[in-house]
Amino acid sequence: MGRSVWGFWQGVFSTAVLYGSLALFTSILHNVFLLYYVETFVSIYKIDKISFWVGETVFLIWNSLNDPLFGWLSDRSFLSSPQQGSQITSPEVVLKRLKALSTNGPLFALSFLAFWVAWARPGLQFLLCLCLYDGFLTMVDLHHSALLADLAVSAADRTRLNFHCSVFSALGSLSVFLSYSFWDKEDFYSFRLFCVTLAAFSILGFLLVSRLLQQRFKKEIRPKQDDASVLKELSVGHAPLTSPEKPVTIGQYLKQLSKQKNFLWFVSMNLIQVFHCHFNSNFFPLFLEHLLSDNISASTGSILLGISYIAPHLNNLYFLTLCQRYGVYQVIRWLFMLKLGLSVAMLLAGADHIYLLCIFIASNRVFTEGTCKLLKLVISDLVDEDFVVNRRQQAASALLFGMVALVTKPGQTFAPLIGTWLLCVYTGYDIFEREPVKDSVSMSEAASSSGTPPLRLGCFYMLVFVPITCALLQLAAWSRFTLHGRKLQGIKTLRQGAQHGHLIDVKAI
């Protein structure tokens, strides 16, 4: 009976749908985390400024190092050149990643719950929660992202997998809409129950989907193992055609990676992108409060908040169709130019156009997050290039995703630190101050002299100048990236030829 039920569900859902659904179980938790963790510790747990900065600094180090560390532990055996008869098949690699997801997915959901109950001193809890949460999030995101490069090589198949991720990520963003109804700094109990419900759903989802996919790929491995045993029997008594090679060390791998100019230009651009994405997430509530709260209702603010989280995923469905027609490189370049154009237009319009502000605040986050969703496709192309250029035994997908994160994830920590610093330097407003008197006095003095509260003006300038600066730097770096067009197609052809017979046909599963 149990087997027939499993067989039924395996027949109903395609591999692409199951792969995409894993994004749902991550996004329903991570969106809530990004939106509320800073305000929870600052406004509810009353963390002091020094503890906050120390926690963010330690988190910066851990956040950067755990991706390449976990990627190295996962993929170090794939770095040597292929040997006769020793090729690892893609189904085996995929099964390995699914086992990691089935373990770390539920642990990630449990670590999410640790934020919403005060169980230690605020500074200590802030540090431990961030490191624990990010460790399990890294394991989940690393293996899920690596599957994109392991399941398919062609741009069409990868776009199809990413399409399903966008659909399910959009569904996961509904948790932001719901969270606004439960969020209350004065009565935290309802919000805690809401978070427990989300975590329980995520745990069940990870366990169910990972098991369905594991059963599917175990069937894929069996015929390949039978073929391998036959070849092994035929080669008995023959000397090996190639001598075993020493495994590649981490130093050698880093040296190989440093010679790949496309990788270096990409991580330079992506560091700025990660910073901008998290800057928008961390300061979205602040912009709503000080730029719009006096002119819009609470329900309108809730709608703007929800749109800013859901629209990027829905918009990404359109961006992916553009990618199939014009290529990922060109679409990303257009998005950078659009970000720059909208920001300059808003700067020229000024802070008094409320409806323009509403549109800009929402669209700024939508297009920035939309760009982030496309970057996994570029990293998957870098995996192909690394495989071909360095003649890998198997594409080291998780390791390369980890090395990208090593350079780019500091942007996640820089966002709240630089944002709060800019706000304090320009306006004198300190989010850690418990007494608002000083700020109220300065605001009233400025209002009498200039007619514009400095805090509101400071928020407006942060809102427009940050994306302008980011867009200019990103366009400069992206113009040096050459892995697109004919060069990219040549790389994919070489990888498909090198791994002929060992790749998975996603449509056939």
Side-chain angles (χ1 to χ4, degrees):
M1 178 67 180
R3 291 183 179 179
S4 62
V5 172
W6 282 110
F8 170 76
W9 288 112
Q10 286 179 348
V12 170
F13 300 113
S14 67
T15 299
V17 171
L18 292 174
Y19 170 79
S21 69
L22 291 170
L24 167 65
F25 311 127
T26 303
S27 62
I28 60 171
L29 303 184
H30 194 53
N31 288 332
V32 173
F33 161 78
L34 288 176
L35 194 60
Y36 294 109
Y37 90 93
V38 172
E39 190 168 2
T40 296
F41 276 91
V42 172
S43 302
I44 298 177
Y45 299 157
K46 308 298 182 183
I47 188 174
D48 60 277
K49 184 191 296 186
I50 295 177
S51 297
F52 179 81
W53 279 71
V54 169
E56 288 285 359
T57 303
V58 174
F59 174 55
L60 166 64
I61 299 171
W62 171 242
N63 195 22
S64 301
L65 295 179
N66 59 19
D67 290 84
L69 173 63
F70 296 154
W72 173 259
L73 293 175
S74 172
D75 289 2
R76 64 185 184 276
S77 61
F78 303 154
L79 296 180
S80 59
S81 298
Q83 304 169 27
Q84 183 69 22
S86 66
Q87 182 77 20
I88 300 175
T89 63
S90 285
E92 291 173 321
V93 175
V94 169
L95 192 59
K96 178 182 177 182
R97 303 208 189 284
L98 290 173
K99 288 179 181 178
L101 285 171
S102 66
T103 302
N104 292 285
L107 293 175
F108 159 71
L110 292 176
S111 67
F112 166 79
L113 294 177
F115 283 93
W116 318 117
V117 178
W119 47 268
R121 293 177 57 188
L124 178 62
Q125 182 177 348
F126 184 68
L127 174 62
L128 293 178
C129 282
L130 278 179
C131 292
L132 190 66
Y133 176 85
D134 186 69
F136 290 119
L137 174 63
T138 296
M139 290 296 290
V140 171
D141 191 50
L142 207 58
H143 287 285
H144 186 248
S145 299
L147 282 173
L148 181 64
D150 293 330
L151 287 172
V153 174
S154 72
D157 284 343
R158 283 179 179 171
T159 300
R160 196 161 70 92
L161 291 170
N162 206 339
F163 178 90
H164 286 87
C165 282
S166 295
V167 172
F168 282 101
S169 294
L171 292 175
S173 298
L174 291 173
S175 62
V176 174
F177 270 117
L178 298 174
S179 69
Y180 203 79
S181 303
F182 292 95
W183 175 254
D184 185 353
K185 290 186 285 188
E186 304 301 326
D187 182 11
F188 211 43
Y189 180 74
S190 297
F191 184 76
R192 286 173 179 149
L193 288 180
F194 171 71
C195 291
V196 169
T197 304
L198 291 180
F201 176 77
S202 179
I203 290 172
L204 292 174
F206 273 114
L207 292 174
L208 176 64
V209 172
S210 61
R211 182 171 177 182
L212 285 172
L213 285 170
Q214 284 181 64
Q215 293 295 325
R216 181 165 297 182
F217 285 101
K218 283 178 181 177
K219 294 179 181 179
E220 182 77 8
I221 287 176
R222 288 191 190 106
K224 294 182 182 292
Q225 288 177 335
D226 295 338
D227 293 342
S229 62
V230 172
L231 291 173
K232 186 175 180 179
E233 290 174 4
L234 292 175
S235 64
V236 172
H238 295 274
L241 297 178
T242 58
S243 58
E245 296 189 17
K246 293 181 179 180
V248 177
T249 64
I250 184 64
Q252 292 171 325
Y253 177 74
L254 291 175
K255 186 176 180 180
Q256 293 172 348
L257 210 56
S258 66
K259 295 179 180 178
Q260 296 176 214
K261 300 300 182 183
N262 285 320
F263 172 83
L264 298 178
W265 286 116
F266 173 78
V267 295
S268 300
M269 177 275 292
N270 197 18
L271 171 63
I272 303 169
Q273 187 66 24
V274 170
F275 165 82
H276 193 198
C277 285
H278 285 82
F279 175 85
N280 286 340
S281 297
N282 294 151
F283 291 95
F284 196 97
L286 186 73
F287 293 148
L288 284 182
E289 179 180 356
H290 295 292
L291 289 174
L292 300 175
S293 61
D294 294 336
N295 300 282
I296 63 173
S297 63
S299 60
T300 304
S302 176
I303 292 172
L304 275 177
L305 190 63
I307 289 175
S308 72
Y309 276 83
I310 293 178
H313 305 291
L314 298 178
N315 225 22
N316 196 41
L317 303 180
Y318 174 66
F319 292 155
L320 288 171
T321 61
L322 292 179
C323 289
Q324 289 181 318
R325 180 178 300 179
Y326 301 105
V328 180
Y329 174 85
Q330 192 63 42
V331 173
I332 291 176
R333 183 171 177 270
W334 289 340
L335 287 172
F336 290 155
M337 295 174 68
L338 182 62
K339 177 165 65 176
L340 178 61
L342 289 175
S343 302
V344 171
M346 190 68 246
L347 176 63
L348 295 176
D352 296 328
H353 294 78
I354 300 303
Y355 291 108
L356 284 180
L357 266 178
C358 289
I359 295 172
F360 178 75
I361 290 175
S363 64
N364 181 39
R365 177 171 165 78
V366 167
F367 292 124
T368 302
E369 289 291 331
T371 305
C372 287
K373 307 304 176 189
L374 299 177
L375 295 184
K376 286 185 179 181
L377 293 173
V378 182
I379 302 175
S380 298
D381 293 337
L382 289 170
V383 170
D384 298 337
E385 184 183 44
D386 176 70
F387 173 85
V388 171
V389 171
N390 297 297
R391 300 181 65 243
R392 304 289 187 208
Q393 174 187 354
Q394 172 71 31
S397 312
L399 180 55
L400 192 64
F401 273 93
M403 296 309 297
V404 170
L406 172 65
V407 184
T408 61
K409 266 199 171 182
Q412 183 176 338
T413 302
F414 288 149
L417 296 182
I418 293 177
T420 53
W421 176 76
L422 285 173
L423 198 62
C424 186
V425 168
Y426 185 77
T427 68
Y429 177 76
D430 191 342
I431 64 172
F432 299 97
E433 285 290 334
R434 309 298 177 209
E435 300 295 334
V437 176
K438 180 180 177 182
D439 186 65
S440 299
V441 173
S442 64
M443 286 177 63
S444 61
E445 291 176 352
S448 61
S449 60
S450 65
T452 305
L455 179 56
R456 185 173 189 275
L457 191 61
C459 288
F460 175 73
Y461 283 143
M462 280 179 61
L463 178 67
V464 294
F465 278 120
V466 167
I468 288 174
T469 305
C470 290
L472 289 173
L473 293 174
Q474 287 175 305
L475 283 169
W478 198 233
S479 65
R480 306 298 298 272
F481 188 82
T482 61
L483 189 60
H484 55 89
R486 291 183 178 179
K487 181 175 180 178
L488 177 60
Q489 190 56 47
I491 289 290
K492 289 185 177 296
T493 301
L494 288 172
R495 182 183 173 185
Q496 288 173 324
Q499 287 192 301
H500 180 69
H502 297 280
L503 293 170
I504 303 167
D505 182 5
V506 178
K507 296 177 182 177
I509 298 174

